[in-house]
Amino acid sequence: MKNKPSSKFYNGISAPYALWCVLFIVAPLIIVLYYALTNSDGNFTLDNIKHLSMYGDTIARSIYFGLIATVICLFISYPLAYFISKTKASTQSVLIMMVMVPMWMNFLLRTYAIMVLFEDTGIINNILNALGISPVHLINTSGAVIFGMVYNYLPFMILPLYTAMTKLDYRLIEAARDLGANGFQTVKDVMIPLTKSGIISGITMVFVPSVSTFYISQKLGGGKYTLIGDIIEMQFQTAYNYNLGASISMLLMILILICLAVMNKFGEDQTEGGVVV
């Protein structure tokens, strides 16, 4: 029998990863915590935490927009992922590639592309004018911000759902139909429970960046719809109030950790179909 690798071997190969985590995850979190709990002179204070109450509306708006974008992504991605998983293998590869191609383009360029479409003199309104239809004001609206979130983060919902769909035993769906279940009952009682972990992964991967985004709201919302990410950027780039910016960042991290904890709680019994952070 071959000897199994010793624990020293596993410790050795995991050392670079542990060092990476310490340098680029643990250390930055400690720095954020330090700035959040000190003032400009480096003295301990809770004033930064108290000032968070000033941004209650912004926090609520960020969560609200993030939830709407996540729900829209889920309703679009679920049937699309099912359709892709039902095609032959070569077609699946092509369709997944088409889903991923927009992600190869820079995030800023994708957002600018939406601006070109949505502007009052943009492509959509030019087409409407050519058809004799009155132009529609699309840019600098809450709908444009949410659309930007959906467009940029939709692949993050499709991919885990697609992974879950490919592992789905379609004989169970056929059995449900043979037993008299209609389409809605089949989806609700068979497909959703079997793909729950993919749903949870997709929700997490879309909701977290949607809540923390800032560039989308600036370019597509025209600065009218300030989100948490905008406030953080403002404190670091304009106001140079690193302490308050760190406290808001800490709040955002707490919100994200709560989201991850809830998602993992719902998905703790699931062992297939996706990856829950």
Side-chain angles (χ1 to χ4, degrees):
M1 292 180 63
K2 295 182 178 180
N3 295 327
K4 293 183 179 180
S6 64
S7 59
K8 292 183 179 180
F9 172 77
Y10 289 114
N11 293 336
I13 63 175
S14 63
Y17 174 73
L19 179 62
W20 176 275
C21 290
V22 170
L23 291 178
F24 298 105
I25 299 178
V26 178
L29 290 177
I30 294 175
I31 293 173
V32 169
L33 182 62
Y34 168 77
Y35 275 96
L37 298 178
T38 58
N39 57 23
S40 58
D41 298 324
N43 298 320
F44 175 81
T45 179
L46 294 177
D47 290 343
N48 299 317
I49 307 299
K50 296 176 182 178
H51 289 159
L52 294 178
S53 60
M54 299 166 50
Y55 303 104
D57 292 342
T58 301
I59 296 170
R61 185 185 302 114
S62 300
I63 296 174
Y64 177 64
F65 280 15
L67 286 174
I68 293 178
T70 302
V71 170
I72 293 174
C73 285
L74 179 60
F75 275 94
I76 294 174
S77 301
Y78 201 87
L80 180 58
Y82 177 75
F83 169 77
I84 295 175
S85 67
K86 291 289 288 182
T87 60
K88 57 184 181 180
S90 59
T91 304
Q92 289 183 29
S93 301
V94 173
L95 294 177
I96 291 298
M97 181 69 67
M98 292 176 64
V99 170
M100 293 301 299
V101 163
M103 304 302 295
W104 297 355
M105 185 170 60
N106 184 272
F107 178 86
L108 304 183
L109 294 179
R110 296 201 304 270
T111 305
Y112 269 111
I114 300 175
M115 292 175 62
V116 173
L117 289 174
F118 281 11
E119 287 178 347
D120 293 336
T121 57
I123 296 175
I124 293 178
N125 279 319
N126 286 337
I127 293 175
L128 293 178
N129 283 327
L131 296 175
I133 302 174
S134 300
V136 180
H137 181 66
L138 299 172
I139 198 68
N140 299 338
T141 62
S142 59
V145 176
I146 294 172
F147 181 88
M149 294 178 178
V150 172
Y151 173 74
N152 280 292
Y153 304 129
L154 186 64
F156 297 141
M157 182 70 77
I158 294 176
L159 293 179
L161 286 174
Y162 164 74
T163 302
M165 296 292 184
T166 57
K167 298 178 180 180
L168 190 63
D169 188 350
Y170 289 100
R171 293 175 298 180
L172 298 176
I173 298 176
E174 295 175 357
R177 291 174 178 172
D178 291 340
L179 293 173
N182 55 34
F184 176 76
Q185 291 173 327
T186 301
V187 172
K188 179 175 70 72
D189 297 328
V190 180
M191 291 186 63
I192 290 180
L194 292 176
T195 57
K196 184 191 293 185
S197 58
I199 295 173
I200 292 173
S201 295
I203 290 174
T204 304
M205 295 173 67
V206 172
F207 180 73
V208 170
S210 294
V211 171
S212 58
T213 188
F214 64 93
Y215 195 79
I216 293 174
S217 56
Q218 293 177 8
K219 295 303 179 182
L220 300 181
K224 297 179 181 179
Y225 304 94
T226 306
L227 304 180
I228 297 179
D230 298 311
I231 299 297
I232 295 174
E233 187 206 23
M234 186 186 307
Q235 298 301 325
F236 281 99
Q237 299 293 333
T238 306
Y240 298 107
N241 190 342
Y242 300 143
N243 303 95
L244 181 56
S247 66
I248 301 172
S249 301
M250 187 175 67
L251 173 63
L252 180 59
M253 286 190 292
I254 292 173
L255 291 176
I256 292 174
L257 289 175
I258 292 174
C259 172
L260 294 177
V262 172
M263 292 297 100
N264 277 284
K265 180 63 177 178
F266 281 109
E268 63 184 359
D269 296 330
Q270 298 295 318
T271 57
E272 296 183 353
V275 179
V276 182
V277 181

